[in-house]
Amino acid sequence: MSLNTLLTQLGLQRHDPHSLEAQLHAMRRDVQHLRQSLSRQTGQATHHWGDQLHEIGSAVANQTGEFAQLAGQEARKGARMIRRDPLPALALAGTALLLMRLLSRR
């Protein structure tokens, strides 16, 4: 009498690691591990990209602030120059108006 026969008579079945059921169970377990690994790697990559985007955004904000400060300084400098001698500003404005009129006639 074999062990399989004895187990079958007792109503118990021996688990065959090569059975279709065991193979499906192993495949499910492998897919679960893959899903968890991919999820973890995706989370890490997303976190890394978020950090890089944050650094880029901070650098852009700093550069924009410096540019705005420089533009403000130049505007104040221009305003002081116009207060001292408004004639060049009037000449420039008059030339721009004349040029606009000439170009609009076409």
Side-chain angles (χ1 to χ4, degrees):
M1 181 187 285
S2 72
L3 182 60
N4 285 337
T5 307
L6 181 62
L7 289 174
T8 304
Q9 287 176 356
L10 292 173
L12 303 172
Q13 291 184 356
R14 195 169 136 192
H15 184 66
D16 182 14
H18 299 293
S19 72
L20 183 59
E21 180 183 358
Q23 290 175 0
L24 285 174
H25 181 71
M27 287 173 67
R28 282 188 195 117
R29 188 180 59 246
D30 290 345
V31 167
Q32 177 70 16
H33 290 311
L34 282 172
R35 185 184 65 78
Q36 289 172 348
S37 177
L38 286 174
S39 177
R40 184 175 44 256
Q41 289 175 359
T42 303
Q44 290 170 350
T46 303
H47 182 71
H48 179 69
W49 291 344
D51 287 346
Q52 287 183 337
L53 287 175
H54 175 68
E55 289 176 16
I56 290 170
S58 294
V60 167
N62 288 337
Q63 290 293 324
T64 303
E66 290 174 10
F67 178 73
Q69 185 178 9
L70 182 62
Q73 289 172 355
E74 291 299 315
R76 284 188 295 276
K77 187 171 140 182
R80 282 193 304 269
M81 288 174 62
I82 290 174
R83 268 191 239 123
R84 274 189 249 137
D85 188 13
L87 190 59
L90 292 174
L92 181 63
T95 303
L97 287 173
L98 179 63
L99 184 61
M100 284 176 29
R101 278 203 155 190
L102 290 174
L103 291 176
S104 67
R105 285 188 176 180
R106 288 186 172 190

